[in-house]
mmCIF file of all heavy atoms in Angstrom:
data_model
loop_
_atom_site.group_PDB
_atom_site.id
_atom_site.type_symbol
_atom_site.label_atom_id
_atom_site.label_comp_id
_atom_site.label_asym_id
_atom_site.label_seq_id
_atom_site.Cartn_x
_atom_site.Cartn_y
_atom_site.Cartn_z
ATOM 1 N N TYR T 371 39.530 12.497 8.763
ATOM 2 C CA TYR T 371 38.259 11.881 9.189
ATOM 3 C C TYR T 371 37.221 12.040 8.084
ATOM 4 O O TYR T 371 37.164 13.090 7.433
ATOM 5 C CB TYR T 371 37.726 12.543 10.466
ATOM 6 C CG TYR T 371 38.540 12.200 11.681
ATOM 7 C CD1 TYR T 371 39.701 12.924 11.990
ATOM 8 C CD2 TYR T 371 38.164 11.161 12.524
ATOM 9 C CE1 TYR T 371 40.468 12.597 13.101
ATOM 10 C CE2 TYR T 371 38.916 10.829 13.641
ATOM 11 C CZ TYR T 371 40.067 11.548 13.919
ATOM 12 O OH TYR T 371 40.805 11.219 15.023
ATOM 13 N N LEU T 372 36.423 11.011 7.920
ATOM 14 C CA LEU T 372 35.369 11.057 6.909
ATOM 15 C C LEU T 372 34.046 10.687 7.590
ATOM 16 O O LEU T 372 33.870 9.560 8.060
ATOM 17 C CB LEU T 372 35.711 10.058 5.800
ATOM 18 C CG LEU T 372 34.975 10.196 4.467
ATOM 19 C CD1 LEU T 372 35.308 11.520 3.784
ATOM 20 C CD2 LEU T 372 35.338 9.037 3.540
ATOM 21 N N LEU T 373 33.145 11.659 7.667
ATOM 22 C CA LEU T 373 31.828 11.405 8.265
ATOM 23 C C LEU T 373 30.932 10.760 7.202
ATOM 24 O O LEU T 373 30.740 11.318 6.119
ATOM 25 C CB LEU T 373 31.215 12.741 8.726
ATOM 26 C CG LEU T 373 29.758 12.702 9.206
ATOM 27 C CD1 LEU T 373 29.611 11.886 10.486
ATOM 28 C CD2 LEU T 373 29.228 14.125 9.423
ATOM 29 N N ILE T 374 30.423 9.582 7.509
ATOM 30 C CA ILE T 374 29.555 8.908 6.543
ATOM 31 C C ILE T 374 28.116 9.339 6.783
ATOM 32 O O ILE T 374 27.523 9.033 7.816
ATOM 33 C CB ILE T 374 29.703 7.382 6.650
ATOM 34 C CG1 ILE T 374 31.150 7.026 6.287
ATOM 35 C CG2 ILE T 374 28.740 6.672 5.700
ATOM 36 C CD1 ILE T 374 31.471 5.587 6.388
ATOM 37 N N LEU T 375 27.575 10.084 5.843
ATOM 38 C CA LEU T 375 26.213 10.610 6.029
ATOM 39 C C LEU T 375 25.149 9.530 5.812
ATOM 40 O O LEU T 375 24.252 9.394 6.629
ATOM 41 C CB LEU T 375 26.000 11.841 5.149
ATOM 42 C CG LEU T 375 26.901 13.038 5.539
ATOM 43 C CD1 LEU T 375 26.825 14.152 4.511
ATOM 44 C CD2 LEU T 375 26.537 13.568 6.918
ATOM 45 N N PRO T 376 25.202 8.754 4.708
ATOM 46 C CA PRO T 376 24.197 7.672 4.582
ATOM 47 C C PRO T 376 24.620 6.443 5.387
ATOM 48 O O PRO T 376 25.095 5.442 4.845
ATOM 49 C CB PRO T 376 24.168 7.370 3.076
ATOM 50 C CG PRO T 376 25.419 7.942 2.517
ATOM 51 C CD PRO T 376 26.061 8.822 3.526
ATOM 52 N N TRP T 377 24.433 6.537 6.716
ATOM 53 C CA TRP T 377 24.894 5.481 7.628
ATOM 54 C C TRP T 377 24.259 4.135 7.303
ATOM 55 O O TRP T 377 24.791 3.091 7.648
ATOM 56 C CB TRP T 377 24.610 5.874 9.084
ATOM 57 C CG TRP T 377 23.260 6.498 9.265
ATOM 58 C CD1 TRP T 377 23.017 7.832 9.395
ATOM 59 C CD2 TRP T 377 21.973 5.850 9.264
ATOM 60 N NE1 TRP T 377 21.665 8.052 9.491
ATOM 61 C CE2 TRP T 377 20.997 6.853 9.408
ATOM 62 C CE3 TRP T 377 21.555 4.529 9.172
ATOM 63 C CZ2 TRP T 377 19.636 6.576 9.453
ATOM 64 C CZ3 TRP T 377 20.203 4.238 9.209
ATOM 65 C CH2 TRP T 377 19.262 5.250 9.342
ATOM 66 N N ASN T 378 23.113 4.165 6.615
ATOM 67 C CA ASN T 378 22.437 2.891 6.293
ATOM 68 C C ASN T 378 23.246 2.042 5.322
ATOM 69 O O ASN T 378 23.056 0.845 5.255
ATOM 70 C CB ASN T 378 21.034 3.165 5.729
ATOM 71 C CG ASN T 378 21.031 4.119 4.562
ATOM 72 O OD1 ASN T 378 21.643 5.190 4.616
ATOM 73 N ND2 ASN T 378 20.379 3.740 3.486
ATOM 74 N N ILE T 379 24.167 2.680 4.556
ATOM 75 C CA ILE T 379 25.024 1.874 3.677
ATOM 76 C C ILE T 379 26.499 2.063 4.045
ATOM 77 O O ILE T 379 27.393 1.978 3.209
ATOM 78 C CB ILE T 379 24.773 2.190 2.170
ATOM 79 C CG1 ILE T 379 24.802 3.703 1.902
ATOM 80 C CG2 ILE T 379 23.459 1.592 1.694
ATOM 81 C CD1 ILE T 379 24.817 4.047 0.397
ATOM 82 N N SER T 380 26.741 2.300 5.337
ATOM 83 C CA SER T 380 28.118 2.578 5.770
ATOM 84 C C SER T 380 29.063 1.399 5.505
ATOM 85 O O SER T 380 30.214 1.597 5.140
ATOM 86 C CB SER T 380 28.144 2.964 7.242
ATOM 87 O OG SER T 380 27.644 1.910 8.025
ATOM 88 N N LYS T 381 28.558 0.194 5.648
ATOM 89 C CA LYS T 381 29.409 -0.982 5.447
ATOM 90 C C LYS T 381 29.920 -1.009 3.999
ATOM 91 O O LYS T 381 31.120 -1.172 3.754
ATOM 92 C CB LYS T 381 28.590 -2.248 5.758
ATOM 93 C CG LYS T 381 29.434 -3.471 5.943
ATOM 94 C CD LYS T 381 28.667 -4.625 6.577
ATOM 95 C CE LYS T 381 29.419 -5.923 6.353
ATOM 96 N NZ LYS T 381 28.794 -6.776 5.332
#
Side-chain angles (χ1 to χ4, degrees):
Y371 289 84
L372 196 64
L373 172 66
I374 297 178
L375 295 171
W377 42 259
N378 53 311
I379 49 169
S380 61
K381 195 166 163 254

